[in-house]
Amino acid sequence: MEIYELGTIPEELEAFAGGKAKGLNRLKKFGFDIPRGFVVMDAETEDDFLQAAYYYADRGYKSVAVRSSATAEDGAEFSSAGQYSTYLDVSGREAVITALRACVESLNSYTASKYASFFPQAKSAKMSVIVQEMVQAAAAGVCFTDNPVAHGEILLEAVRGRGEGLVSGAVQADSYRMNRSTLQGVNAEEAVRLNAGYLGRETAEQIAGSAMLAASKFGIELDTEWAIDGSGKLFWLQARPITVSEDVPIDELDGKPVYGTDIMTTCNIGEMLPGAVTPLTLSTSVYSIDLGMRRMLVISGSYKNYDAVPEGSCAVSFNNILFLNLSTIYKMGYSVIGANVESVGLSICGRLITDVPEQPFKKANVFVRLINAVKYFKFLLSSNKARKKLAVLADVFRIYEDKSAELLYNEIDGKLIALNESLWLHYITSAHSGAMSSALYVVLSKKYKDDEIKGLIAGVLEDIPDIESVDILRSLRAIARALIKENPAVKGYTAKELQEYCEHYCGRESDEALSCFLKRHGHRAVREAEMRSKSWHNDAEGLMEYLRTVIASGGEEPKKAEKSYETNYNKLLADNKGSLRGAIKYLVKQSRLGVRNREFSKSMSMKVLDVFKRAYASLGGILAESGALPDADLIYFLTHKEIGSLIRQKNAALVKLALQRRRLLPEQQECKYKDINVGKPEQIKLDTANLAAGAVIEGAAISRGVVTGRARIVKTVDDANKLQKGEIMVASFTDIGWSPYYCLVGGLVTEVGSVLSHGAVVAREYALPLVANAFNATAIIGTGDLINVNGNTGHVTILSRAGEAV
């Protein structure tokens, strides 16, 4: 055993003293104030601990901090933060002996062993122990000389009193972002915060400046801990390399380059997968979507082969937010008779796309375009066959999860072809539905104006029987009615109470209704094509939250004007004659059939995808249990191939990569883009501060009707659970998972969506006014604002802001 005062450890022994001791030793040598202390190296026996305790007493130490300093701790690659023991306010020889012993023993603790199994490189060979005088801190905190989440800035965080609450995450800190050159706030807002903070600008500048000086002497960017005592003296408690640097950029997984003439849209794909998606979803669901579109383009003759339309040509990711490259699909307009740029825009975006730059394609000769038209029409007419084939696949497809990680991964890998096939079959029905709807739009445009056409199409797409997405709410209402009938007290149950009641005490009628619902719809969810989103039969409490909402509405089916479709359809036919009338009859029939087939095939494809969700969830659990992952959720932040590499090689670098990606996801979720972009999409920021009452947002009329009510911004399920009866739900998207809330709302406003979106289908069935494509509505409108939603014209008017008199 050896004992060294901090600041006197020989350079050749610093590596054996451990990361913490090395940092403190260098701080002291460089002239920075640290609390007086010493390090105990190679203590193993009770006699060693006793000698160290006498050293503590002989040199007049009183209240001290006793902290571990392991050899692989606080390194440039791995921090091992929180893995080993620390004891504060230790006084007396016996207490010091106990703390020393515990620190040494923590080298092989369960927590440290588990961490080392995740990161084999982080395994420490030896444990030293630091004994330092306690600082009676008036303020304490951390200072990063390079902000881990905003490179080029200093990040300073401070709390009153001692800093352990900050390090543990139990205390909310004052946070200051400072310019590395001037030590001022990085912008006006941060400058105000710096001036108003309890540290005071002068103290904050002192801490930041000293940290920068230390970093220059160490030759690396530092993550430091500091404390200021009652007299105002600054002490440094720790200095270590920044290990959580942002090695992974926010756009790490962006797709192939986009050119200046490319038209990128969030429409359609933004309804299926709104917001930022996880890397696993990019490599599975999104890959399959992209493959399906490429397959259609090759089958239609628009491209000769897959090499001509490579991976990522159709579905493209920017900051993990998905876009479709319309320009890739525009090639159909140059290759297939009857297809054109306008019809592509209508089919995918539900509206005409104007000001399209000239595309770099040459029109094929008439003979070739005619042959391709036959191919494409044959493809569209195969929608019924695709629907039936998909139903069979969804019914029989299974992945057996009770096996080792390697065997389960291999089975998933071998069966991913089924995911590709299921989404391809859904794409056939979806393409048929979109093509028929856009053809109907083109026919009606010969006589009607654009804003009239959408209302007319919405009117003839009402009352479509046996639609999957509509049945979700009807089935939930049937469950609610049965529960209320047998036990009226369920109206006051929490989600957990309702779950317990349904699992153990519900009657035969409600049990059968719930079983039927789960059998038909249990595989559905909010953002259901995202691998990380739990489906209803794997999220019982979440389902009960939905059911509580339906129970609160009474569970009764709303009354609706009878035969509204027939009235709208007959009026449309009466207003048109001859060949135009015949075309309308055919296209309305095909459009209605297309909606039903599309909704059914979407449900079946999600049923197949849900098998993969459960398999990946099981695999994540196995990897976490075996120590290959810190927690099961991290599996979603690796691509499918990376998971295979992790299993075969137990690569710690992949674990760290997943951790960094997970930390980036909230930032990616905040990225906002226009729904139509020319060239590479650029993020947008909307200044809503000066938008007063009277502002009008223009969107698309998707479901007819007019309603006035208070707005509720809904971005999460928690937001949706706050909906009150009659409120207007303002959301980024319409999703099948929002269906249960339609029984409460008076109307809907969404930032994306089309006349064929799943939410639009449900809204029409329940006569709820819906305006979609209301750009940035969730930022412009606030919860509590009084708004008017005109589903006939596609306008949303802010009548008054929350709290203002009407």
Side-chain angles (χ1 to χ4, degrees):
M1 182 193 72
E2 294 180 275
I3 297 177
Y4 292 95
E5 289 284 327
L6 291 171
T8 69
I9 305 172
E11 186 175 345
E12 65 272 17
L13 293 182
E14 281 185 339
F16 301 102
K20 280 193 181 76
K22 178 180 178 180
L24 288 166
N25 195 60
R26 291 193 174 187
L27 281 170
K28 182 67 173 177
K29 284 183 176 180
F30 291 144
F32 293 88
D33 288 321
I34 67 171
R36 186 170 70 104
F38 60 93
V39 60
V40 181
M41 299 174 59
D42 296 323
E44 296 178 351
T45 67
E46 289 300 314
D47 188 55
D48 291 338
F49 301 143
L50 182 60
Q51 286 186 51
Y54 275 111
Y55 187 94
Y56 152 86
D58 289 345
R59 279 155 181 78
Y61 286 94
K62 302 296 182 184
S63 179
V64 294
V66 181
R67 298 191 292 163
S68 63
S69 183
T71 51
E73 193 174 4
D74 290 348
E77 294 299 322
F78 296 91
S79 74
S80 301
Q83 306 308 312
Y84 305 113
S85 296
T86 291
Y87 298 91
L88 304 178
D89 291 317
V90 179
S91 297
R93 286 186 302 183
E94 290 303 319
V96 168
I97 289 172
T98 300
L100 285 165
R101 184 190 303 117
C103 283
V104 171
E105 289 175 349
S106 70
L107 178 66
N108 297 309
S109 69
Y110 173 80
T111 302
S113 299
K114 188 81 169 175
Y115 186 84
S117 72
F118 307 150
F119 303 111
Q121 299 94 319
K123 175 66 176 175
S124 291
K126 290 187 176 183
M127 175 68 77
S128 295
V129 184
I130 298 167
V131 179
Q132 268 185 300
E133 288 181 336
M134 288 293 300
V135 177
Q136 300 307 312
V142 297
C143 183
F144 289 85
T145 59
D146 190 13
N147 188 344
V149 294
H151 283 311
E153 301 174 0
I154 298 169
L155 176 63
L156 175 62
E157 293 186 338
V159 295
R160 287 182 171 84
R162 300 199 312 211
E164 56 264 29
L166 171 61
V167 175
S168 69
V171 176
Q172 181 66 41
D174 268 13
S175 180
Y176 313 99
R177 292 164 52 207
M178 304 171 70
N179 186 290
R180 284 166 60 92
S181 300
T182 65
L183 303 185
Q184 303 296 305
V186 295
N187 53 40
E189 180 184 346
E190 292 296 329
V192 170
R193 183 176 295 150
L194 194 61
N195 287 331
Y198 66 79
L199 277 182
R201 173 181 285 187
E202 185 177 336
T203 302
E205 289 177 359
Q206 178 194 4
I207 296 168
S210 295
M212 290 293 292
L213 178 61
S216 69
K217 290 184 177 294
F218 275 71
I220 52 174
E221 300 297 344
L222 292 177
D223 165 6
T224 64
E225 294 180 24
W226 54 268
I228 296 174
D229 69 10
S231 69
K233 185 174 181 178
L234 173 64
F235 289 94
W236 294 96
L237 308 179
Q238 192 158 308
R240 60 191 175 200
I242 295 176
T243 58
V244 196
S245 58
E246 202 60 79
D247 297 326
V248 177
I250 192 172
D251 59 355
E252 176 212 3
L253 296 173
D254 279 7
K256 64 187 288 290
V258 169
Y259 302 100
T261 57
D262 286 346
I263 307 297
M264 311 299 297
T265 181
T266 57
C267 295
N268 190 278
I269 198 165
E271 299 164 29
M272 188 175 191
L273 279 164
V277 300
T278 60
L280 180 57
T281 299
L282 279 174
S283 64
T284 53
S285 303
V286 178
Y287 173 83
S288 294
I289 293 167
D290 180 69
L291 179 63
M293 298 189 78
R294 292 163 56 215
R295 186 172 175 181
M296 181 272 292
L297 292 171
V298 172
I299 285 176
S300 69
S302 301
Y303 294 87
K304 290 183 179 180
N305 51 47
Y306 287 105
D307 290 337
V309 54
E311 181 182 337
S313 295
C314 298
V316 188
S317 162
F318 292 98
N319 296 342
N320 286 36
I321 292 176
L322 302 179
F323 295 77
L324 292 180
N325 190 332
L326 289 179
S327 293
T328 304
I329 309 167
Y330 281 158
K331 183 73 156 43
M332 288 186 65
Y334 297 79
S335 309
V336 179
I337 284 181
N340 52 49
V341 168
E342 290 76 16
S343 63
V344 169
L346 284 168
S347 178
I348 291 176
C349 303
R351 68 182 192 273
L352 290 170
I353 308 301
T354 58
D355 301 323
V356 175
E358 185 176 346
Q359 298 296 300
F361 303 124
K362 290 184 179 180
K363 184 168 284 190
N365 65 55
V366 174
F367 181 70
V368 170
R369 285 188 288 128
L370 182 60
I371 292 175
N372 289 341
V374 173
K375 293 178 182 176
Y376 183 59
F377 196 64
K378 183 179 179 181
F379 161 78
L380 293 178
L381 292 182
S382 67
S383 62
N384 276 328
K385 183 178 179 181
R387 177 180 62 82
K388 294 175 182 177
K389 188 175 180 181
L390 180 52
V392 173
L393 174 62
D395 188 51
V396 301
F397 185 68
R398 299 288 185 276
I399 292 177
Y400 297 98
E401 303 161 22
D402 187 18
K403 47 178 65 76
S404 69
E406 186 170 4
L407 289 176
L408 178 54
Y409 176 82
N410 289 340
E411 183 170 1
I412 293 172
D413 187 63
K415 290 186 174 178
L416 276 174
I417 191 171
L419 180 60
N420 297 339
E421 182 69 6
S422 68
L423 287 170
W424 162 244
L425 293 170
H426 168 59
Y427 189 73
I428 295 173
T429 65
S430 185
H432 170 263
S433 179
M436 295 302 107
S437 179
S438 62
L440 180 59
Y441 187 106
V442 171
V443 168
L444 293 176
S445 67
K446 299 180 184 299
K447 182 175 179 179
Y448 301 95
K449 295 180 180 179
D450 181 69
D451 56 352
E452 295 177 287
I453 297 172
K454 292 172 184 174
L456 291 170
I457 293 176
V460 297
L461 293 183
E462 294 178 355
D463 302 328
I464 300 174
D466 200 31
I467 298 179
E468 289 294 305
S469 52
V470 174
D471 186 75
I472 288 174
L473 185 49
R474 286 179 178 157
S475 296
L476 284 172
R477 280 181 162 137
I479 300 168
R481 289 194 299 272
L483 287 169
I484 293 170
K485 179 181 176 182
E486 68 189 34
N487 181 11
V490 296
K491 292 181 178 180
Y493 282 4
T494 65
K496 285 189 176 181
E497 289 170 339
L498 189 58
Q499 180 184 350
E500 183 179 0
Y501 180 82
C502 288
E503 288 176 352
H504 302 291
Y505 306 111
C506 65
R508 179 178 177 182
E509 183 179 352
S510 58
D511 184 56
E512 288 181 354
L514 181 57
S515 296
C516 288
F517 172 85
L518 288 172
K519 183 177 180 180
R520 182 169 178 178
H521 304 298
H523 55 277
R524 310 301 297 268
V526 174
R527 301 182 79 240
E528 55 193 342
E530 164 59 61
M531 285 291 178
R532 197 184 185 203
S533 295
K534 287 184 178 180
S535 55
W536 286 327
H537 62 203
N538 290 321
D539 183 18
E541 189 172 343
L543 176 58
M544 292 301 113
E545 285 287 2
Y546 289 122
L547 189 53
R548 283 181 67 237
T549 302
V550 181
I551 290 171
S553 72
E556 298 300 326
E557 290 292 327
K559 292 183 179 180
K560 187 179 176 183
E562 294 184 6
K563 299 181 179 179
S564 56
Y565 152 67
E566 291 185 10
T567 301
N568 299 329
Y569 177 62
N570 290 333
K571 185 178 185 306
L572 183 60
L573 291 182
D575 291 341
N576 295 278
K577 307 296 181 186
S579 60
L580 185 60
R581 187 174 190 270
I584 291 172
K585 286 182 69 174
Y586 175 78
L587 291 172
V588 167
K589 179 181 178 181
Q590 289 297 313
S591 294
R592 288 172 64 83
L593 176 64
V595 169
R596 187 173 65 187
N597 283 351
R598 175 178 180 263
E599 290 297 303
F600 178 79
S601 71
K602 174 68 181 295
S603 178
M604 293 299 99
S605 64
M606 291 303 101
K607 190 173 183 179
V608 173
L609 190 143
D610 188 54
V611 176
F612 286 96
K613 281 186 184 180
R614 283 181 279 139
Y616 278 118
S618 293
L619 183 57
I622 294 169
L623 292 173
E625 182 65 27
S626 68
L629 283 176
D631 62 76
D633 181 65
L634 277 178
I635 196 171
Y636 303 109
F637 295 89
L638 296 171
T639 66
H640 173 74
K641 288 184 179 178
E642 287 170 345
I643 295 168
S645 177
L646 177 72
I647 291 171
R648 289 188 295 271
Q649 302 171 13
K650 206 171 185 183
N651 187 342
L654 287 175
V655 178
K656 195 168 187 180
L657 181 66
L659 287 164
Q660 291 176 325
R661 286 171 175 170
R662 183 163 65 181
R663 194 175 65 252
L664 277 174
L665 186 63
E667 183 180 348
Q668 291 169 329
Q669 293 285 17
E670 293 301 314
C671 294
K672 292 283 187 180
Y673 300 90
K674 292 181 179 179
D675 60 345
I676 305 292
N677 304 264
V678 179
K680 183 178 179 179
E682 297 294 334
Q683 288 191 55
I684 57 169
K685 291 185 178 180
L686 182 65
D687 182 7
T688 61
N690 297 319
L691 288 174
V696 177
I697 306 171
E698 293 189 3
I702 299 297
S703 182
R704 298 173 308 143
V706 180
V707 64
T708 296
R710 294 288 177 185
R712 171 75 61 182
I713 305 301
V714 173
K715 295 183 178 180
T716 66
V717 172
D718 287 340
D719 294 334
N721 288 332
K722 297 173 185 175
L723 278 162
Q724 302 296 310
K725 193 168 182 62
E727 286 184 333
I728 296 170
M729 185 167 81
V730 182
S732 295
F733 58 93
T734 53
D735 183 281
I736 202 73
W738 296 135
S739 298
Y741 298 103
Y742 284 29
C743 60
L744 278 180
V745 301
L748 300 110
V749 178
T750 65
E751 294 175 333
V752 297
S754 70
V755 72
L756 296 179
S757 64
H758 312 290
V761 172
V762 178
R764 284 195 296 271
E765 292 304 309
Y766 288 96
L768 292 172
L770 167 59
V771 172
N773 294 324
F775 179 64
N776 240 0
T778 59
I780 297 171
I781 300 169
T783 293
D785 289 355
L786 186 67
I787 62 175
N788 175 270
V789 179
N790 191 322
N792 302 326
T793 65
H795 294 100
V796 180
T797 305
I798 301 173
L799 301 178
S800 68
R801 289 296 190 179
E804 291 180 353
V806 181

